[in-house]
Amino acid sequence: MTQEQHEASFLRKIEEEVKIEARDWMPDEYRKTLIRQISQHAHSEIVGMLPEGNWITRAPNLRRKLILLAKVQDEAGHGLYLYSAAETLGITRDELIDQLHTGKAKYSSIFNYPTLTWADMGAIGWLVDGAAIMNQVMLCRTSYGPYARAMVRICKEESFHQRQGFESLLALSRGNEAQRKMLQESVNRWWWPSLMMFGPSDSESTNSEKSLLWKIKRQTNDELRQRFVDATVDQAKILGVTLPDPHLKWNPERGHYDFGEINWDEFWNVVKGNGPCNKQRLDARVKAHERGAWVREAAVAYAEKKKQKAA
Ligand code: FAQ
């Protein structure tokens, strides 16, 4: 087939909702943007374990500790499915990890904020997983088969994460005054960074146009952010918390909540590596990788020994 025929066949598949698979012809730019997005997503899951991992030893009781452990383990699993999906596009795991550790690859801005109180565990579940799932449900229908299939399981688990976060905050909301105060203070800190997770506004988003055309993304950053705000306001009422935005108001003409301006300077500052915990997060990942070297060496030695025995 000529290049033009390949391109026409690729676009026809996209149009007809036929998944693109690893061995199919695809434009270089499609491959590149998928590797970029899937690997950033994988890195986010792996770095995303750190803020919560910080509280495993301090969970208030055994039940909460078990739930938190299971959630963090789920996140490791999500990272691994996503690295595997990225590898089907012709990049190695070593290259992906190296891009994270050298600061070449991005990961979600949200994980560069500190977890200061136990309420932050609930707020991450409710708001951060809530925002993640709002974005990720559309990715179950993304055009690249291995990514779409990985997202189905991830979304099921994220939805459990979101509910456990809400349930944990509900317990605090029914607690004493100090607990209610801790809950409100945590929501005050996590609200705006959660809105930033959806990425820059549509007019500033450099990748959206192509990603929407190729059905990698099915909705824009602003559409998803609005859906998240609309869904979250009523949940906040149940928790009895105030969302820290004086401009948050139902707009009957739009049929949506209006909300205030996001601090984009803060967003870009965090994305560029200058957030409150960027350095700490990367250092922790690099150290964990170095400390795990013996496991990788042992696995290779074991595989070689097995090969020799079989020969
Ligand atoms: N943080 O042109 P766009 C989770 C970058 S998983 C950092 O709009 P795009 C689970 C973007 O990469 C959370 N950088 O980009 C969990 C681009 O730079 P580049 C992660 C950001 O790709 C929960 C530039 O800005 N989820 O939370 C961010 O079309 C709890 C211009 O932006 C995913 O990764 C940001 N927030 O749209 C774990 C989902 N936003 O690459 C533990 C998959 C944008 O050109 C605990 N990803 N940038 O150098 C996506 O859907 C998309 O990549 C977006 C961004 C929507 C994140």
Side-chain angles (χ1 to χ4, degrees):
M1 273 210 269
T2 64
Q3 175 85 2
E4 285 75 31
Q5 284 168 330
H6 274 307
E7 259 171 38
S9 152
F10 169 82
L11 288 173
R12 200 170 327 111
K13 278 193 200 155
I14 299 276
E15 174 71 26
E16 291 170 1
E17 302 284 338
V18 176
K19 295 281 178 242
I20 307 299
E21 297 297 339
R23 292 198 184 134
D24 292 349
W25 185 92
M26 60 186 84
D28 285 347
E29 274 299 306
Y30 178 83
R31 187 184 298 277
K32 240 167 85 186
T33 203
L34 274 173
I35 291 176
R36 178 188 64 79
Q37 178 169 322
I38 301 172
S39 66
Q40 284 177 6
H41 194 167
H43 300 324
S44 303
E45 297 281 357
I46 297 300
V47 178
M49 294 159 71
L50 296 169
E52 291 169 305
N54 186 31
W55 278 86
I56 290 173
T57 53
R58 291 179 283 168
N61 57 46
L62 183 60
R63 177 171 168 264
R64 293 288 176 203
K65 189 178 183 126
L66 282 172
I67 294 172
L68 189 58
L69 262 174
K71 180 179 190 290
V72 173
Q73 284 175 355
D74 284 351
E75 281 147 13
H78 299 173
L80 298 184
Y81 314 148
L82 290 166
Y83 281 133
S84 299
E87 283 174 288
T88 64
L89 290 156
I91 186 159
T92 67
R93 182 81 57 105
D94 283 345
E95 286 170 304
L96 292 167
I97 303 288
D98 188 62
Q99 287 176 359
L100 172 67
H101 292 176
T102 54
K104 270 189 227 145
K106 294 188 170 75
Y107 58 86
S108 184
S109 49
I110 192 77
F111 302 116
N112 293 306
Y113 290 86
T115 43
L116 304 178
T117 66
W118 170 252
D120 289 357
M121 296 305 97
I124 288 182
W126 177 42
L127 297 174
V128 176
D129 283 283
I133 197 169
M134 193 57 89
N135 170 278
Q136 289 170 194
V137 163
M138 73 164 176
L139 296 175
C140 298
R141 294 189 299 118
T142 194
S143 56
Y144 186 56
Y147 191 21
R149 290 188 287 274
M151 288 317 300
V152 173
R153 177 157 173 189
I154 292 176
C155 279
K156 284 189 183 150
E157 292 176 352
E158 298 286 27
S159 140
F160 156 73
H161 293 174
Q162 196 269 350
R163 282 171 214 188
Q164 72 76 35
F166 187 80
E167 191 269 341
S168 160
L169 295 184
L170 198 59
L172 290 180
S173 77
R174 292 170 180 164
N176 60 29
E177 200 183 329
Q179 286 170 316
R180 284 196 299 274
K181 229 169 123 186
M182 177 169 64
L183 159 62
Q184 180 64 60
E185 187 274 335
S186 175
V187 169
N188 290 349
R189 279 184 291 109
W190 290 95
W191 175 249
W192 289 106
S194 299
L195 294 193
M196 293 174 195
M197 283 176 72
F198 294 93
S201 62
D202 293 351
S203 56
E204 301 293 320
S205 166
T206 41
N207 300 295
S208 281
E209 193 184 338
K210 270 278 164 68
S211 290
L212 289 164
L213 177 77
W214 286 329
K215 297 186 181 166
I216 293 173
K217 283 163 73 160
R218 317 286 301 220
Q219 280 172 293
T220 73
N221 299 356
D222 285 334
E223 282 166 0
L224 290 164
R225 191 170 7 247
Q226 181 71 64
R227 286 189 69 176
F228 174 72
V229 171
D230 290 348
T232 312
V233 172
D234 284 342
Q235 296 169 6
K237 286 181 195 151
I238 298 170
L239 292 175
V241 288
T242 314
L243 296 172
D245 179 358
H247 301 286
L248 195 62
K249 194 167 176 259
W250 178 252
N251 181 332
E253 277 166 39
R254 289 201 313 121
H256 292 290
Y257 281 94
D258 288 337
F259 54 98
E261 183 64 22
I262 288 171
N263 182 344
W264 293 114
D265 288 343
E266 175 182 327
F267 171 73
W268 289 116
N269 198 38
V270 175
V271 172
K272 285 182 188 143
N274 306 316
C277 299
N278 294 59
K279 190 173 170 330
Q280 187 183 326
R281 300 291 185 237
L282 265 194
D283 286 352
R285 284 314 313 157
V286 171
K287 210 186 243 170
H289 192 67
E290 285 167 0
R291 284 193 180 149
W294 70 272
V295 179
R296 294 188 295 280
E297 281 160 22
V300 170
Y302 177 74
E304 270 167 12
K305 192 113 196 171
K306 237 179 141 186
K307 222 162 61 188
Q308 278 168 11
K309 258 193 181 166

